[in-house]
Amino acid sequence: GFVKRLDFFMLNQVCKKMGEWKKKNIELVPVSVNFSKQHLMHQEVAERICNIIDFWKIPHNFIEIEFTETSIAEEKELLSNTIAVLKDKGISVSVDDFGSGYSSLNLLQDFNFDVLKLDKSLIKTIVENNRARIVIANVINMANALNMSIIAEGVETKEELMTLKNLNCNVIQGFIFDKPLSVEEFEQRLINKQY
């Protein structure tokens, strides 16, 4: 059960820091927070998430809650309800690490996620492997047709970047743009609007 406490601790820390930025009139950007599958056994998880966000007076559209692909198969009804409550409150919900295991198309069919995050393991072979390109191109097309944003994670080379751009991937993240930052460095970028 420790991971559940850790997830809520992280959400609280993110919202607390965003609250500090708001008081300093620093323009906020959306931040994603991962949640473990262990939360899906509890119906009140969406309410607890909203309570933390509201305590720090953070506009809901600045928080995205991520559930990993591997966490989703077990508790479909509870997850579906959690997603519906969060979306109803204006909180974006994403499926993280899509493609890291044996991805199921039922995931895209059964759940109304806002964002699909392609795992970096899919991206690694995209340049030299035509089959990988075809698979990713079709996942991107499906996500777009379902009105989902799509993010390619772990992009490290210019070739990967250009291939994904040509496949109409919405957002690309990875070391090609930046390494992980300290809170202080990130805050300076927010102040300078240097994203």
Side-chain angles (χ1 to χ4, degrees):
F2 179 73
V3 72
K4 292 191 289 186
R5 296 198 308 274
L6 182 60
D7 289 345
F8 281 115
F9 172 81
M10 291 307 300
L11 177 63
N12 190 66
Q13 292 301 303
V14 165
C15 291
K16 179 181 177 184
K17 182 52 74 178
M18 292 176 89
E20 291 171 13
W21 291 335
K22 254 180 72 177
K23 286 180 183 171
K24 294 179 184 177
N25 291 317
I26 297 172
E27 189 175 332
L28 301 180
V29 296
V31 177
S32 298
V33 181
N34 285 77
F35 267 71
S36 159
K37 69 178 181 179
Q38 291 188 29
H39 292 289
L40 303 182
M41 310 301 173
H42 304 284
Q43 289 183 317
E44 76 285 349
V45 67
E47 185 180 329
R48 285 189 65 193
I49 288 169
C50 291
N51 288 343
I52 291 171
I53 296 169
D54 292 341
F55 177 83
W56 294 105
K57 298 179 175 56
I58 306 303
H60 288 191
N61 60 312
F62 286 104
I63 298 293
E64 176 181 283
I65 300 299
E66 296 183 3
F67 293 101
T68 57
E69 174 205 0
T70 53
S71 72
I72 289 165
E74 296 155 19
E75 293 292 335
K76 286 177 75 169
E77 188 175 331
L78 280 174
L79 177 59
S80 192
N81 291 340
T82 298
I83 292 169
V85 170
L86 291 172
K87 286 174 66 86
D88 187 55
K89 301 283 188 181
I91 299 167
S92 179
V93 185
S94 67
V95 57
D96 193 24
D97 299 336
F98 187 81
S100 60
Y102 288 97
S103 302
S104 170
L105 294 180
N106 288 341
L107 185 73
L108 303 181
Q109 173 186 295
D110 295 343
F111 299 105
N112 190 17
F113 287 104
D114 298 297
V115 181
L116 183 68
K117 297 188 174 184
L118 295 174
D119 189 70
K120 65 182 178 182
S121 63
L122 282 177
I123 308 306
K124 283 182 186 174
T125 61
I126 193 172
V127 173
E128 66 276 350
N129 185 332
N130 189 51
R131 289 178 69 89
R133 255 191 320 282
I134 291 168
V135 168
I136 291 172
N138 282 288
V139 170
I140 290 170
N141 289 336
M142 280 190 294
N144 286 331
L146 293 167
N147 294 317
M148 298 173 75
S149 294
I150 187 142
I151 299 175
E153 299 180 307
V155 178
E156 297 184 4
T157 69
K158 187 173 182 180
E159 293 79 17
E160 291 168 348
L161 173 67
M162 295 314 297
T163 302
L164 288 160
K165 188 175 178 182
N166 291 334
L167 294 176
N168 298 315
C169 188
N170 299 110
V171 179
I172 297 167
Q173 72 181 45
F175 287 173
I176 184 128
F177 296 116
D178 224 329
K179 303 280 193 244
L181 301 173
S182 69
V183 173
E184 294 75 23
E185 288 176 292
F186 187 73
E187 184 174 314
Q188 272 311 126
R189 296 211 184 170
L190 290 178
I191 291 168
N192 299 331
K193 296 183 190 268
Q194 177 200 358
Y195 308 124

